[in-house]
Amino acid sequence: MRTETEHTIYLKDYAPSPYRIVAVDMDFRIAVDKTRVVTQLTVEPREGTAPGTPLVLDGDELTLGSIAIDGAPLVLSAYATDANGLTVFEPPLRRFVLETEVTIQPEGNTKLMGLYRSSGTWCTQCEPEGFRRITYYLDRPDNLAVFKVRMTAPRDVAPVLLANGNRIDQGDAGDGLHYAVWEDPFPKPAYLFALVAGDLGSISDSFATASGRKVDLAIYCAHGKEDQCLWAMDSLKRSMAWDERRFGREYDLDVFNIVAVSDFNFGAMENKGLNIFNDRLVFAQPETATDANYDGIERVIAHEYFHNWTGNRITCRDWFQLCLKEGLTVYRDQEFTSDERSRAVKRISDVVTLRSAQFPEDGGPLAHPARPDQYREINNFYTTTVYEKGAEIVRMLATLLGEAGFRKGMDLYFERHDGEATTIEAFLAVFAEANGIDLEQFKTWYLQAGTPRLKVAEHYDADRQTYTLKLSQETLPTPGQPNKVPLVLPIKFGLIGPNGSPMAWSGVSGAEVRDEMIVLKDSSAEIVFTGIPSRPVPSLLRGFSAPVILETEASQQDQLFLARHDSDPFNRWQALQDVGMALALEAVEGRPWSDAAVTALSQAMSDTLASDTLDNAFKALAMSLPDEQLIGRQIGKDIDPDKIHAVRKRLLQAVFEPIAQQLLATYNALASDAPYAPDPVSTGRRALRNRMLALLVASEAFGASLLAVKQYQEAGNMTDRLAALSAASSAATPDAPAMLADFRTRFGADPLVLDKWLTVTAAAPRDGVIEDMKAILSDPTFPKTNPNRLRSLVGTFAMSNPTQFARADGAGFRFVADVVTEIDTINPQVAARVLTGFRIWPMLESGRREAARAALTGLASGNTLSRNTTDILTRMLAS
Ligand code: TRP
Ligand code: ZN
C-alpha cells in the first residue's frame, strides 16, 4: 500500500499556473477503433513568469503523434512525456499556439472518464480530471478558455454530432464521413467540456426566457426511448422558469441539449449547454418507472440546469472548493422541489437521507470537512458531505440571513464573480458584505468535520415564572481533527402551552434570540425566558434548522404532545420518530417496553392517520419507525445487526398490529382507477397506500402477504408493483421468491427495471442472498462494466442489507471485498464507492468487527489496487 504522504495534494499549496490557456481549437477524427485529436492551445505566460519556466500539461493514457509551436515541430529535446503528462521545457515567453496530435482509444475505456463508448455512442465525462484523457491540457478548474470543436465521424454510426455551445457549421466530409463544428462563447474550465457522437433519437421543444429569447431544447436518447423523455423535458422547462423567478437567472445560450447514456459513473453532468445524463435519470413511463424515479429525474434535471449559473458561469478555483458549486446547487434543487411540491415532505425526506448517508460518513473513518484541505484522489470527494452537508450549510446561511438577506447575497455573488473561478471565502464574503455581518465563525462549518451534538436540558421555575433552556454543543474528534471548536447553530424553536397553542414570553436573555430562533455561538448557553405562566413544551430545531444530533430529555409524553400539537410539520414527524427510537433502544438494551408506552405510540400513529389536516405524503412519512441502521448508529457501538432486526420487527408488530383494521381501511379507501400521474397529490396517495401495505405485511396482519401478491399482480404502474414486491421481500413472506422470479421474467429485458430486481434481491434480509448474488455475477451476460448494474446489486447489498452484509461469519464482508478487487481493474471509481459501504465497521460488535478488519486487510495485501480504492481502504483501516 502507498504511504500516507505519497500523492497527497494540499489546499495550502494552491498556486496559479505560470501559463494560461485562453483559447482551445480541437479537431476530433472519430473512427470505430481509435480517435485522433488535434488540439491547438493558445497559451500565454502569466505576468511574472520567469523565462525558461517549463509548461507542464496533464495527460493520461494518451499517445502523442506530433507536437509543434506556432507551426514549427518541436525537436525531441524540447519536450518530454510521462505517465502524468507533457512538459515543454522552454516555451516562448509570449502568446503562442501549441499544437498536439494524440491518439486515444474510447473503445477500451472502461473507467468511463474522458472519451468512451456507451452502447456504441461516443460520449465524454471530464469532471474532475477526465479531459487529460482526451488531450494534453492544464486540467484544473481555474483555467478558463473558449472552446471551438470540430468533429468528423462516420455518418452511419454517428449521424448525431454534439458539443458545447452553438453549432456553427456542418457538412459532408466524403468517404461516408461527416463533420460538425461547435463553438462555446463562454470561457470554461476543461471539466465542463463535452462531446457526443452517435446514432440517437431525440425530442425537442423550446423555452422563451424572461427577456424574450428563444432557447431550443433537445433530449437525445437511444432510438425508441423518445417518449420516455417527456417528463425530463417538462422538468427542464420548469427548472428554467424557476431559476428566473426565484434567483433572476436566465439561460445564456441559444441551445440546451441533454443526452442520456447507459454507462455513467454518476447521476449526471452539467457540461456547458450539453448535459450528459445517466439514462436512469431521464427515462420515465408509468409501467417501468416509480414515483421515486420521477422525483429523481425532476431533481437531477433541475440540479444540472442550475449549475449553469452556480458551477459554470461561476466555477471553482480548485477542487477543494467543490462544495462551492455542489452544496449551493443542491440547496437550489432542494428549494426548487420544495416550491414545486410540498416543502415539509421535501425537508423530511432530505433529513432522512442526511441522517442515513451523511451522518454516518461524518461519524466514521471517512469523515472530512465540507471543504477538505487535502486529498489523494479527488474522485473520492464527491461525497454526501460535500453535497448534502454543503447544502445544509447554505440553508443555515439562508436561515440566519432570512430570505431577502440571502437573495441580496446571491445577487452580489453573481454580480461580482460571474466569469470567475472562485472560493468559499469569496462566497461567504458577498453575504457578509450584502448584509453587513461577520461570517468568520460561520465559516467553521466548511472547515470542521463531524456532526455536532446539541444537548438540551430545561428547567421551569413556577415561583419566578421563568423557563430556562441549557444548551451545549460538542463535536467529537474525526480523523486528523482531534480538537473541535463551537459552531454557529441557528436553532429555530417555539414554546407550546398546555392547550397546544404557542406560548409568548415577556423577556429573554442568555444568547441571541430573534424571530423564534436561538443563535448559539458558544459551547454552552443558558437561555432564560421570563413571564412564563406554566411549564411549556419546547419544540426545538424546527425544520431541522441545523445539521446536528439533538439530545433532549423530553419525555414520551412531551414527544406525543408535540406529535399532536406542533405547528412545525418537521417536528411533528420527528416527535413520532423519537418515540419509536426510544422504544427500540430500550428493547435492544434488554429492557422490555411497557405496554402503556407502546399503546401510546400506536394511538398517536392512529391519530396521525386519521387527521384531516395532514396530507397523505406527510402521513406516509410519519407512519414509520426508524430503520435498522439508524437504530444501530444511535446505539453507536458494539452493534449487533441481528438483534436490531429482531427488535424492530417485534416493535413494528406491537405498534401497528393493534391498528391493522384502520391501516387496511385506509389502504382500501386510497385505491384509485385514475391513470398514473406524477403530480404531488397522486404521488402522496400512492405513498400512503403503499406504506399501509408495507406495515400490514411487516406486522403480519391478517393475510396481508396475500394482499401484496394481489397488488403485485394487478398493479397498473411500477410504483405500486414494486412497492408490493419490496414489502413482500423485506418481510420475507412465503410468496416473495415467486414474486421476484416473476418480476425478473416480466422485466428482465429492460436494464433499468432489471436494476430494481437487483436492488430488491440484494436488500433481502435472508440467508442465501450472497449465493444468489454470486450466481448473478457469474452469469456471463451480467455486464460488469455497467455502473448502474453493479451499484444496484453490490452497492445496495453493502449499504442497505445490514444483517447479511455484516454477517457474523464474515461472508458478507468477504463477498464485497472480492467484488471490489475484481471491479477495481475495470472501473476504479465504482469499486472505491462500493468499498465505502464498510464505513460502519468500527461500530460493530467485536466478532463482526474482526471479520470486517480481516476482509479489509485481505483486500489491502496481495492486490494491486487503484489509487481510488487504495485511498478509501487506507482511510478505512486507519481508524
Ligand atoms: N458535477 C456532477 C453533478 O453534481 C457530478 C459528476 C458527474 C461527477 N459525473 C461525475 C463527479 C464523474 C465525479 C465523476 O451532478
Ligand atoms: Zn452537481
Side-chain angles (χ1 to χ4, degrees), residues 270 303-304 307 325-326 329-330 387:
E270 69 265 22
H303 178 95
E304 306 309 332
H307 268 315
K325 74 178 178 82
E326 294 305 346
T329 305
V330 171
Y387 277 67

Side-chain angles (χ1 to χ4, degrees), residues 113 125 127-128 264 266 268-270 303-304 307 325-326 379 382 387 829:
M113 290 300 268
Q125 172 55 39
E127 183 179 7
F264 202 72
F266 235 69
M269 181 62 212
E270 69 265 22
H303 178 95
E304 306 309 332
H307 268 315
K325 74 178 178 82
E326 294 305 346
N379 277 291
Y382 286 76
Y387 277 67
Q829 273 188 44

Side-chain angles (χ1 to χ4, degrees), residues 677-688:
D679 63 89
V681 171
S682 316
T683 307
R685 182 185 59 72
R686 282 187 292 273
L688 184 56

Side-chain angles (χ1 to χ4, degrees), residues 20 72 84 161 178 198 225 472 532 556 572 647 742 750 785 828:
R20 294 188 306 179
N84 297 317
L161 302 175
H178 70 145
K225 302 274 189 184
S472 62
I532 305 290
Q556 193 200 45
R572 280 181 86 151
V647 161
D742 176 82
D750 181 333
T785 51

